[in-house]
């Protein structure tokens, strides 16, 4: 029997920095890893909670922050095909775990985004260099791709007997994860956009939300952070971002938001271009389309000044959007056409 190969690997691990996991670095801010699904589920909580307004008050501050970021990146589950697809996906995975599909089944890797940059180190191992990343013990992440697969696993873990398997089979299943770490929220949205563009096409609102290369979308997100409006219930100033739905095609009567992202983007486009902007609201706007001599920051600042006046003045009407027409896409686009006259 051959002697064990000695190495320095174990002496380099500093568990106080986080949970060490073996990874394969691909490039800066991207590593591949294999982990159990139970481990992944601790990093990425049930996405259904992020969409449940009744559950949000009972979440911790960190969990609410994760839910808000998740809702900015991912498609909605409630009221979409994604919900039913997850159940079909669960049956497919269960059949695979039960051996009913032999070796002819597979699931794609999870594309996981963690906002913190993970510390990596390398050490000599028995078969070459080992690469290790420290995963913070309180790590929280969002899936940019494969969330439907994640929801399918959650169905399996909740009702394993229904699918003819055990909970341990689900929790111990080893899955592949692409870990994107230390990149911005805008970059994460762009990856979601690019990964889904050629697959199941997201609705227009989700696509616009994700495409940070679109100048009008980028400016609109800037407005949401710059503009503050009075909360109709408390009269306190809140960011417009909190009153814009970034992942819904249209609002329900019970939704607390004032308008959707695509509606606000239409206002941005018509404020920028005036009457010709009506034909541009459904198309891409590049930086080259901006008025000559004006950069994106200058345009955003000019539109924000006008938008703040408008949203503050009509805050009560937006709050009562089901009784007025002001939040209708065509009306807000028309208001943008009028606001264009105030542009420099």
């Amino acid at each position: 029997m051959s002697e064990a190969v000695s190495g320095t690997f174990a002496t380099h691990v500093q568990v106080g920095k986080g949970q060490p996991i073996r990874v394969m670095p691909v490039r800066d801010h991207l590593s591949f890893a294999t982990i159990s699904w139970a481990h992944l589920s601790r990093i990425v909580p049930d996405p259904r909670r992020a969409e449940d307004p009744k559950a949000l008050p009972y979440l911790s501050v960190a969990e609410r922050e994760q839910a808000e970021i998740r809702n900015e990146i991912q498609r909605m589950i409630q009221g979409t095909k994604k919900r039913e697809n997850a159940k079909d996906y669960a049956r497919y995975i269960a059949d695979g775990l039960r051996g009913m599909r032999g070796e002819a089944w597979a699931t794609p890797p999870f594309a996981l985004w963690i906002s913190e940059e993970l510390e990596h180190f390398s050490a000599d191992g028995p078969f070459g260099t080992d690469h290790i990343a420290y995963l913070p013990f309180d790590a929280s992440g969002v899936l940019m791709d494969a969330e439907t697969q994640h929801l399918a696993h959650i169905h399996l873990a909740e009702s394993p007997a229904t699918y003819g398997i055990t909970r341990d089979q689900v929790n111990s299943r080893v899955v592949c994860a692409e870990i994107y770490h230390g990149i911005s929220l805008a970059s994460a949205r762009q990856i979601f956009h690019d990964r889904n563009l050629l697959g199941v096409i997201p609705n227009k609102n989700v696509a616009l939300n994700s495409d940070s290369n679109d100048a009008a979308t980028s400016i609109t997100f800037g407005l949401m952070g710059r503009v503050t409006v009075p909360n109709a219930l408390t009269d306190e100033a809140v960011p417009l971002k909190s009153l814009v739905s970034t992942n819904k095609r249209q609002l329900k009567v019970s939704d607390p938001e004032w308008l959707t992202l695509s509606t606000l983007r239409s206002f941005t486009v018509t404020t920028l271009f005036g009457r010709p902007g009506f034909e541009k609201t459904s198309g891409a706007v590049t930086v080259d389309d901006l008025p000559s001599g004006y950069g994106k920051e200058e345009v955003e600042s000019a539109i924000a000044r006008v938008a703040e006046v408008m949203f503050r003045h009509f805050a009560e009407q937006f709050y009562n959007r089901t009784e007025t027409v002001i939040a209708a896409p065509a009306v807000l686009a028309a208001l943008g056409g009028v606001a264009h006259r105030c542009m420099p």
Side-chain angles (χ1 to χ4, degrees):
M1 184 174 181
S2 61
E3 294 183 1
V5 180
S6 62
T8 59
F9 169 73
T11 61
H12 283 68
V13 176
Q14 301 179 45
V15 294
K17 292 185 176 183
Q19 181 173 356
I21 57 173
R22 181 176 280 108
V23 298
M24 179 186 293
V26 178
R27 63 171 191 261
D28 289 345
H29 309 293
L30 171 61
S31 293
F32 287 173
T34 54
I35 58 177
S36 68
W37 177 79
H39 189 177
L40 179 68
S41 69
R42 289 197 295 271
I43 302 171
V44 184
D46 188 339
R48 295 173 298 183
R49 294 192 305 174
E51 298 180 12
D52 184 359
K54 294 180 180 179
L56 292 177
Y58 300 99
L59 302 181
S60 67
V61 173
E63 288 172 330
R64 285 199 297 271
E65 289 177 350
Q66 190 275 344
E68 290 174 1
I69 294 173
R70 179 268 168 194
N71 289 342
E72 287 198 37
I73 293 178
Q74 269 289 348
R75 285 191 288 257
M76 297 293 288
I77 297 171
Q78 192 67 28
T80 67
K81 291 184 178 179
K82 187 173 184 177
R83 182 180 180 183
E84 294 304 316
N85 289 345
K87 296 177 182 178
D88 293 336
Y89 212 151
R91 282 188 286 272
Y92 174 82
I93 296 172
D95 288 347
L97 293 175
R98 293 165 60 194
M100 296 178 63
R101 294 182 176 273
E103 298 301 321
W105 72 289
T107 55
F110 292 88
L112 172 64
W113 173 59
I114 298 176
S115 60
E116 301 93 343
E117 185 164 1
L118 303 184
E119 181 179 343
H120 288 60
F121 78 92
S122 301
D124 292 334
F127 303 108
T129 302
D130 284 324
H131 303 281
I132 305 296
Y134 289 116
L135 193 64
F137 295 116
D138 61 348
S140 177
V142 174
L143 291 174
M144 300 177 295
D145 200 12
E147 188 181 69
T148 304
Q149 182 189 164
H150 186 46
L151 184 55
H153 281 82
I154 292 172
H155 286 317
L156 293 174
E158 289 178 338
S159 306
T162 302
Y163 296 92
I165 58 174
T166 65
R167 184 170 287 109
D168 184 64
Q169 282 180 285
V170 184
N171 289 331
S172 62
R173 183 180 181 232
V174 176
V175 297
C176 180
E178 305 169 15
I179 304 176
Y180 297 82
H181 59 99
I183 64 174
S184 66
L185 175 60
S187 297
R189 282 197 300 261
Q190 189 65 47
I191 292 172
F192 167 82
H193 174 274
D194 296 344
R195 294 283 286 260
N196 286 273
L197 186 62
L198 299 179
V200 178
I201 305 300
N203 67 52
K204 174 188 171 184
N205 199 53
V206 172
L208 292 173
N209 173 9
S210 308
D211 192 3
S212 57
N213 290 329
D214 181 84
T217 299
S218 179
I219 292 170
T220 302
F221 271 105
L223 298 181
M224 289 161 55
R226 286 173 178 255
V227 175
T228 59
V229 296
N231 185 309
L233 298 178
T234 65
D235 211 30
E236 296 179 355
V238 297
L240 181 61
K241 176 182 177 179
S242 65
L243 298 169
V244 178
S245 174
T246 59
N247 55 7
K248 294 180 181 177
R249 183 178 300 175
Q250 59 186 22
L251 299 178
K252 299 177 181 178
V253 173
S254 59
D255 288 332
E257 294 90 355
W258 286 1
L259 67 165
T260 65
L261 173 67
S262 61
T263 299
L264 183 59
R265 182 182 180 277
S266 295
F267 169 80
T268 298
V269 173
T270 54
T271 303
L272 182 58
F273 297 109
R275 184 178 294 180
F278 284 94
E279 297 180 0
K280 297 178 180 288
T281 56
S282 60
V285 176
T286 68
V287 174
D288 293 337
D289 295 325
L290 301 181
S292 178
Y294 288 89
K296 188 167 72 68
E297 177 67 22
E298 295 170 295
V299 170
E300 182 181 305
S301 178
I303 297 178
R305 288 195 294 270
V306 175
E308 181 139 3
V309 172
M310 184 192 75
F311 281 106
R312 282 179 171 272
H313 185 78
F314 293 110
E316 184 176 348
Q317 284 73 25
F318 277 106
Y319 177 73
N320 295 310
R321 60 177 175 79
T322 58
E323 301 173 13
T324 68
V325 297
I326 195 167
V331 174
L332 207 59
L335 288 173
V338 176
H340 174 71
R341 300 177 183 179
C342 302
M343 292 296 99

